[in-house]
Amino acid sequence: MLGAARAIISSSSTRIFSRNILSKPPPFFTISRALAPSIPRFSVRSMADSAFKTVQIQRDDTAFDAYVVGKEDAPGIVVLQEWWGVDFEIKNHALKISQLGPGFKALIPDLYRGKVGLDVAEAQHLMDGLDWQGAVKDICASVDWLKANGSKKAGVTGFCMGGALSIASSVLVPQVDAVVAFYGVPSPELADPAQAKAPVQAHFGELDNFVGFSDVTAAKALEEKLKESKTPYEVHIYPGNAHAFMNRSPDGIKRRKGMGMADEDEAAVRLAWSRFESWMARFLS
């Protein structure tokens, strides 16, 4: 049987995030079922859907769909989903990335193989079932695909679950040229940031209550680890912002408010995107 050690923490209005350490190495994080009744379901759509091309990427003995937007010969960036899956918000992020500065080619690998969580319970179930080591292999194959299809260099970015996987890729995927992670840190069972080989920039909200995963303590612990790595790094903490503060679409804002995250700070979002653009341009151009 799986031996789970669970530490559930409280936010101002809900009990949110806890960590389960399971018998296999990758981390699993659990949001309390108490959230589920307060979270509305959302239709899966994106303003950006028509902008994407679907490609199929092969790795080992399996294949997965990925969604690409941007100029063919631009530097590539793998964009990793939150626990919801490849939904409207991650597609909006990828479209934004493709339009920054001189332009990037953004690629979203479908880590859930077509499944999308429409509420907390579904998203939790999908993330609980994720093969984290397999997800790292997906990232590796995605970076290889970008470099074989016009991108001389390729970075990785991600949000929440994808943020943790982004940092893991800086350790475990040697082909990665730069990483930007948003509010997520991998557990030691998956990857040790002290062993990062690619430059890492990381962003966190000061009010993030996901203890041990993306709160300020986790952010500062990540910074200490990155100091050991001897690779370029930046860790930014945004005052007055909670988890997932980059999600600014109308549905994304509604979803955040349903989870008790009512902060709206457009200036912080603009600053984070500016830092993202500078970091990726520095290491991918």
Side-chain angles (χ1 to χ4, degrees), residues 142-236:
S142 297
V143 171
D144 287 345
W145 187 93
L146 284 167
K147 290 189 173 184
N149 287 273
S151 298
K152 294 180 181 178
K153 291 187 177 182
V156 177
T157 191
F159 302 80
C160 188
M161 181 184 86
L165 283 166
S166 298
I167 294 172
S169 76
S170 75
V171 178
L172 302 172
V173 184
Q175 306 96 304
V176 173
D177 296 299
V179 163
V180 178
F182 290 91
Y183 28 82
V185 178
S187 79
E189 291 79 16
L190 181 61
D192 179 4
Q195 303 301 316
K197 301 171 185 66
V200 175
Q201 183 186 78
H203 303 263
F204 299 88
E206 177 193 33
L207 304 181
D208 197 318
N209 283 320
F210 293 2
V211 172
F213 178 68
S214 54
D215 66 327
V216 170
T217 300
K220 292 181 176 178
L222 171 66
E223 188 169 21
E224 292 304 309
K225 285 284 190 178
L226 291 173
K227 286 179 183 178
E228 297 178 37
S229 73
K230 310 301 182 185
T231 193
Y233 71 90
E234 293 177 0
V235 176
H236 300 287

